[in-house]
Amino acid sequence: MSKAVLFFADGTEECEALLVADLLRRARVEVIIASAMGRRALVSSHGIHLNADALAEDVDYSDVDMVILPGGIPGTPNLAENKTVTDTCVSFVRAGRKVAAICAAPSVLASLGLLEGRNATAHAGFQDKLAGAIVHDEEVVVDGSITTSYGLGGAIPFALELVRQLAGPAEADRIQKAIAYRH
């Protein structure tokens, strides 16, 4: 079974985060929602309260196949301020392990120099913050071990791509049909 860590901070865009967690779990991928706030109780960008599975600092990343950064404001800057989140992204990319980011969150990867010379996308309001990247205005962009998406409107194709990467194309097709996503 594949394993993913989805980072969550106060101000994270809840639909981007929870939709990804939901579709990955439907594919039987183990998903750990890890708080970047030093506490498990969190409040999303639209005031939804939830409890993380763990603190980002307490997760053992040795058997994690992918880390995921959802967007949202102030969620994205809150993720960027967490050393465990940023150090984990850097170590994953350097090791060729999978990292995914959606909406404003690809700007965190760019600020770490991880998108230099890579194809990527982000929310239109953050595409200018993808310094060094070859920016595309597409729903989902995959370049090597890094997957990016442009925002909530691309969350289903983004999540299905992550399912494809972690559970295979047949599972992604099964889930796409099960949720009646016809695009």
Side-chain angles (χ1 to χ4, degrees):
M1 176 193 302
S2 294
K3 186 175 184 179
V5 170
L6 189 143
F7 294 117
F8 202 110
D10 285 340
T12 290
E13 208 310 319
E14 61 276 2
C15 292
E16 293 168 358
L18 297 179
L19 189 138
V20 168
D22 177 283
L23 295 191
L24 286 173
R25 286 180 176 172
R26 287 173 192 244
R28 294 174 293 284
V29 172
E30 180 183 351
V31 179
I32 298 169
I33 297 175
S35 169
M37 302 306 297
R39 57 183 150 67
R40 290 178 61 172
L42 300 163
V43 181
S44 74
S45 62
H46 296 99
I48 297 173
H49 295 257
L50 65 104
N51 288 309
D53 300 317
L55 301 181
E57 294 76 13
D58 294 338
V59 174
D60 175 4
Y61 295 92
S62 64
D63 64 344
V64 171
D65 299 293
M66 176 184 284
V67 293
I68 306 160
L69 287 76
I73 300 298
T76 296
N78 285 338
L79 291 176
E81 290 176 12
N82 183 289
K83 186 167 172 37
T84 298
V85 171
T86 56
D87 287 353
T88 301
C89 289
V90 169
S91 69
F92 267 56
V93 171
R94 287 187 179 156
R97 295 169 73 189
K98 296 177 186 311
V99 176
I102 185 170
C103 195
S107 67
V108 175
L109 303 181
S111 72
L112 298 169
L114 302 176
L115 297 182
E116 189 69 38
R118 290 183 180 261
N119 296 293
T121 193
H123 186 279
F126 285 82
Q127 289 180 354
D128 64 338
K129 296 183 177 23
L130 301 184
I134 303 159
V135 179
H136 301 268
D137 191 31
E138 298 174 19
E139 286 180 328
V140 180
V141 176
V142 179
D143 189 324
S145 65
I146 298 177
T147 303
T148 54
S149 181
Y150 65 24
L152 180 55
I156 291 176
F158 177 68
L160 289 170
E161 174 58 32
L162 303 186
V163 169
R164 191 171 288 106
Q165 291 179 26
L166 294 173
E171 190 65 5
D173 290 346
R174 182 190 71 77
I175 290 171
Q176 182 173 348
K177 288 177 183 133
I179 65 169
Y181 183 69
R182 299 178 181 164
H183 304 278

